[in-house]
Amino acid sequence: MARTTKEHTQEIGLSIALILSRYFLKTDHLHYGFWTEDLPVEPGHLHQAQEKYQEYLIAHLPADTQTILEVGCGTGTLAKKLVDRGYEVECVSPSALLTERARELLGAELPIYECKFEDLEVEKQYDTLIFSESFQYVKLEKLVPHTYRYLKEGGSLLIMDFFSLPEMGKSPMGGGHDFAKFQQMMVDQRFESVANIDITAETAPTLDLAEDLIHQVIIPLKTIASEHLRSRYSVLYRSLHWLFRKKIQKLNTKYFSGTRNADTFLRHKTYRLMIYEKSSAATTELSPTDLVAAEL
Ligand SMILES: C[S@@+](CC[C@H](N)C(=O)[O-])C[C@H]1O[C@@H](n2cnc3c(N)ncnc32)[C@H](O)[C@@H]1O
């Protein structure tokens, strides 16, 4: 399946996030932190909070798990932990840059399927599928049939990711599948829900750190660069600014308007650890209502 412009932009966004968080925040993890009371919300503690996130996820792995498919493995840090603890892990990673990092960490032996989950073609089934903050990127209409296909009977789908709450009004932050629609879809497919834990309060503080990085580093750099271009190449600057005015306005609203913070997140998103089991009653067909919902 060819990549859409949105997917391409998301991939670039993740690569930039990795470069920035590696340099400024000293971390290779690409997911939120899990902030407990003993951990002040400061850049120096992000890596620790992210380690807590991974430990929280691992602590919730179904007891009979041995084989795992980690979908959207990022730089491979979670997969590495799982391998070190004796699990048999394979990964899916559609991003060339992230796959390269993951291969450095995991070695050439561990299979990494370099494609989107939607396009995966392997003749295998696993005990558990893990989506650590990668779930929101996968198209829902493909998710259920693929989950059905790649899970052994009795196997589990473990999701740790945030969902959107459209009933709370228009959100200034994008991302996340519609929470109610997704849950209904899983009920319709007769997957059994065995865990649904709200960890929004523990993860939301990560947004305040990201906002801080934007204000302390990215906005000043952006201002210096644009002042320089404006003074040296005035005509070119004004022409480009006019040509890309809609894109610039969109970026400004999305990243530089001060609305990507913990408060907004708490209002418009819900971060969940969810586990669904593939029971013998599970089905692979999506109802017409689900198909419409999945496309929204
Ligand atoms: C926010 S990062 C999370 C990375 C890693 N799981 C972690 O927790 O650090 C999102 C991941 O999802 C992957 N991804 C994006 N779209 C995907 C898709 N359609 N299928 C599988 N993975 C996807 C990205 O390449 C990236 O590795």
Side-chain angles (χ1 to χ4, degrees):
M1 205 188 286
R3 260 177 220 196
T4 61
T5 310
K6 185 178 171 194
E7 286 166 349
H8 191 65
T9 313
Q10 280 171 342
E11 190 180 320
I12 291 175
L14 284 170
S15 303
I16 293 173
L18 175 64
I19 292 164
L20 291 176
S21 45
R22 262 191 154 182
Y23 188 77
F24 291 106
L25 302 167
K26 310 290 175 220
T27 177
D28 262 0
H29 303 315
L30 278 172
H31 52 76
Y32 282 39
F34 187 95
W35 299 91
T36 45
E37 272 176 15
D38 57 321
L39 208 54
V41 182
E42 289 167 10
H45 292 149
L46 176 63
H47 186 256
Q48 235 176 306
Q50 290 174 315
E51 289 284 310
K52 285 192 183 219
Y53 174 107
Q54 294 195 341
E55 290 305 328
Y56 191 80
L57 187 158
I58 294 171
H60 285 85
L61 273 175
D64 47 3
T65 299
Q66 229 193 332
T67 56
I68 293 175
L69 180 67
E70 199 210 335
V71 181
C73 68
T75 54
T77 55
L78 176 65
K80 176 79 171 77
K81 258 192 202 113
L82 294 167
V83 169
D84 290 346
R85 291 174 199 199
Y87 295 102
E88 284 169 47
V89 185
E90 301 192 352
C91 298
V92 177
S93 173
S95 151
L97 176 81
L98 298 179
T99 308
E100 196 185 313
R101 295 271 180 269
R103 285 224 165 91
E104 278 166 21
L105 186 68
L106 299 167
E109 300 288 287
L110 190 146
I112 302 181
Y113 305 107
E114 203 173 330
C115 62
K116 296 192 278 184
F117 182 58
E118 296 90 317
D119 299 335
L120 185 66
E121 286 292 336
V122 282
E123 297 306 319
K124 286 186 182 176
Q125 287 193 312
Y126 305 84
D127 296 326
T128 299
L129 302 189
I130 296 180
F131 288 80
S132 161
E133 225 168 275
S134 52
F135 188 74
Q136 57 184 282
Y137 299 98
V138 177
K139 301 252 179 320
L140 278 187
E141 71 269 27
K142 276 279 184 175
L143 180 99
V144 178
H146 261 46
T147 300
Y148 185 90
R149 174 174 169 185
Y150 291 116
L151 270 186
K152 291 179 185 165
E153 195 164 315
S156 302
L157 164 69
L158 189 156
I159 302 162
M160 207 151 143
D161 205 343
F162 65 84
F163 292 81
S164 61
L165 301 171
E167 64 276 21
M168 299 307 291
K170 192 166 165 45
S171 168
M173 283 179 63
H177 291 301
D178 181 323
F179 188 47
K181 283 182 181 150
F182 167 66
Q183 288 184 103
Q184 187 54 49
M185 189 177 286
M186 295 308 272
V187 168
D188 291 349
Q189 307 320 130
R190 300 200 284 278
F191 274 80
E192 193 183 334
S193 167
V194 290
N196 184 350
I197 311 171
D198 189 346
I199 52 167
T200 319
E202 289 83 356
T203 48
T206 315
L207 262 296
D208 284 340
L209 282 189
E211 183 74 353
D212 205 39
L213 182 68
I214 288 174
H215 280 275
Q216 303 294 336
V217 180
I218 299 172
I219 292 181
L221 285 178
K222 176 174 156 287
T223 309
I224 294 168
S226 82
E227 281 311 316
H228 177 69
L229 291 176
R230 196 204 303 264
S231 61
R232 297 289 303 268
Y233 311 100
S234 163
V235 176
L236 180 67
Y237 176 86
R238 276 190 279 122
S239 312
L240 288 175
H241 213 268
W242 186 81
L243 209 58
F244 294 108
R245 61 195 181 286
K246 283 199 182 132
K247 276 225 161 356
I248 293 171
Q249 196 183 2
K250 212 168 149 192
L251 280 174
N252 281 340
T253 311
K254 191 167 174 191
Y255 294 106
F256 306 124
S257 61
T259 48
R260 289 174 75 82
N261 54 36
D263 282 348
T264 310
F265 190 79
L266 286 163
R267 212 170 24 258
H268 293 281
K269 310 285 173 189
T270 182
Y271 208 121
R272 299 276 159 158
L273 185 149
M274 302 176 97
I275 303 176
Y276 284 98
E277 200 177 291
K278 178 185 163 185
S279 67
S280 54
T283 150
T284 179
E285 296 300 318
L286 281 173
S287 71
T289 331
D290 285 332
L291 278 172
V292 172
E295 279 162 16
L296 293 177

